Amino acid sequence: MLAKLKNINAFEILGDYWTLLLVRELLYGASTWSDFSAVISIPPSTLSNRLAKLVAAGCVVKKALPKRADGTYKLTEAGKRLFYIMVVAREWQLRWDPRPGAFVSPWRHECGAPLRCKTACLACHAEILTEDIIFNEKTPFHEHGSTLNHRTSAKPGADLRSSNAEIAKASVFLGDQKALKVMSAILQGHYRFDDIQKWTRMHPATLSARLRKLQLLGLCVTRLYQESPDRLLYLPSDAGKELIALIMELMKWSSSRKKESSNQPALLHKPCGAGLETDLICSACEGHVTYENTSVNL
Ligand SMILES: [Zn+2]
Ligand SMILES: [Zn+2]
């Protein structure tokens, strides 16, 4: 059981809303049961379950406290690296769906500036723009604009908006492992229902539900490519395309935990021609951003 859990990837760790919040608090320095419950209204059984899951996944270690039933929880090295995923998620959030209170963060970079990041190419150090990423030859990204006939899906669902009004879009998305997987498939060039299904190995009904959710979140748009029977291509929206930085961080994290190289997307950075590897830099000073050179002021 434990060995199996050790191999779980970032999608599975962060693909849960409560775990996401707990990781955030752990990164801020929370370490005890009362720290967590002071800031997150989480049912005790859920808290205990998610902490156990993080321990089993090797992201958190638990230390017993004398004379107390609970203990202290600390992030391991793998757990600390989840920082990069959270930071990139927050950048996306601030750009595409800024909301009061959404991913408000007390992080500061070592230069003293409040932490804002850019994703740069590891090879040429230029900031990565989605249009500079080469996905693969058959990608319809290049047709974007004139030829795209976006079929408008249903209006953004009242259900999604109202029930999650307080929850940032990035965390609605991040906190859904299946939605993440589907988006990841789309960003890697799988645009047809059958292809996405093959890649994600999801039940068709589950996949339909997630595709609909991605449309409601504005991350994915559809284009009719065949009529009667109607067949659709699922394409990333502009906001959806920019999730590539986040997906790359998720994959980087997952593959850093495995010996064998995982199925990295075959992406190229157009300006320099290098295989796409990303690097986080500070928007203020252009210096590297690491967990170690940032600090938290709560
Ligand atoms: Zn480059
Ligand atoms: Zn800086």
Side-chain angles (χ1 to χ4, degrees):
M1 183 64 179
L2 194 74
K4 190 173 166 253
L5 276 171
K6 285 249 182 203
N7 279 328
I8 62 181
N9 62 33
F11 296 87
E12 288 162 79
I13 301 272
L14 294 178
D16 171 79
Y17 178 67
W18 292 117
T19 313
L20 197 63
L21 291 182
L22 278 178
V23 168
R24 186 189 68 189
E25 293 307 320
L26 282 156
L27 286 166
Y28 287 172
S31 65
T32 62
W33 193 289
S34 49
D35 289 343
F36 301 123
S37 41
V39 284
I40 311 173
S41 31
I42 180 172
S45 59
T46 311
L47 176 56
S48 144
N49 167 288
R50 297 310 194 278
L51 284 170
K53 200 176 158 193
L54 282 166
V55 169
C59 294
V60 166
V61 282
K62 181 182 179 181
K63 285 210 179 92
L65 284 178
K67 293 184 197 158
R68 285 179 56 178
D70 61 344
T72 59
Y73 296 85
K74 281 234 150 69
L75 289 166
T76 60
E77 283 310 307
K80 285 177 191 166
R81 288 200 311 272
L82 293 168
F83 166 79
Y84 301 97
I85 298 172
M86 303 293 275
V87 165
V88 172
R90 175 172 159 264
E91 283 304 321
W92 184 89
Q93 178 74 42
L94 290 170
R95 182 157 149 75
W96 291 99
D97 192 37
R99 297 181 193 196
F103 278 66
V104 167
S105 136
W107 292 105
R108 278 187 182 276
H109 191 229
E110 60 181 357
C111 68
L115 189 62
R116 294 296 309 268
C117 296
K118 292 191 278 196
T119 298
C121 169
L122 195 62
C124 72
H125 310 294
E127 185 178 359
I128 292 173
L129 307 169
T130 316
E131 55 266 33
D132 285 342
I133 301 174
I134 301 175
F135 289 80
N136 64 45
E137 298 92 60
K138 352 184 258 288
T139 171
F141 285 148
H142 311 293
E143 302 167 30
H144 203 288
S146 56
T147 58
L148 276 192
N149 170 21
H150 292 167
R151 246 204 180 180
T152 37
S153 49
K155 286 229 166 92
D159 52 336
L160 206 79
R161 290 283 161 113
S162 55
S163 65
N164 289 308
E166 303 304 316
I167 302 173
K169 202 187 270 190
S171 59
V172 171
F173 170 66
L174 256 183
D176 180 342
Q177 178 192 149
K178 293 199 164 80
L180 265 173
K181 247 186 205 157
V182 173
M183 196 65 210
S184 177
I186 293 173
L187 282 169
Q188 288 174 67
H190 305 279
Y191 306 121
R192 293 175 192 208
F193 193 91
D194 294 350
D195 287 347
I196 302 171
Q197 201 200 343
K198 214 160 123 194
W199 197 86
T200 58
R201 292 190 216 145
M202 252 174 230
H203 186 276
T206 313
L207 176 54
S208 296
R210 287 328 189 279
L211 284 167
R212 178 156 171 78
K213 179 172 178 178
L214 292 176
Q215 286 174 262
L216 291 173
L217 288 169
L219 302 176
C220 152
V221 293
T222 56
R223 183 175 63 151
L224 199 62
Y225 76 91
Q226 183 194 303
E227 285 187 67
S228 54
D230 286 3
R231 292 194 190 279
L232 297 170
L233 288 180
Y234 296 88
L235 304 170
S237 66
D238 287 342
K241 283 185 207 169
E242 288 207 0
L243 282 167
I244 192 71
L246 177 60
I247 302 271
M248 300 260 330
E249 287 298 335
L250 287 162
M251 300 193 103
K252 218 192 304 184
W253 189 86
S254 299
S255 66
S256 72
R257 290 162 45 91
K258 293 179 198 156
K259 293 231 167 66
E260 77 277 18
S261 60
S262 71
N263 50 337
Q264 291 280 1
L267 305 179
L268 292 177
H269 191 223
K270 212 190 286 178
C272 71
L276 191 62
E277 288 189 65
T278 56
D279 195 19
L280 272 189
I281 55 172
C282 169
S283 300
C285 72
E286 308 263 311
H288 282 281
V289 171
T290 64
Y291 178 65
E292 287 73 25
N293 73 17
T294 51
S295 56
V296 169
N297 266 318
L298 282 174

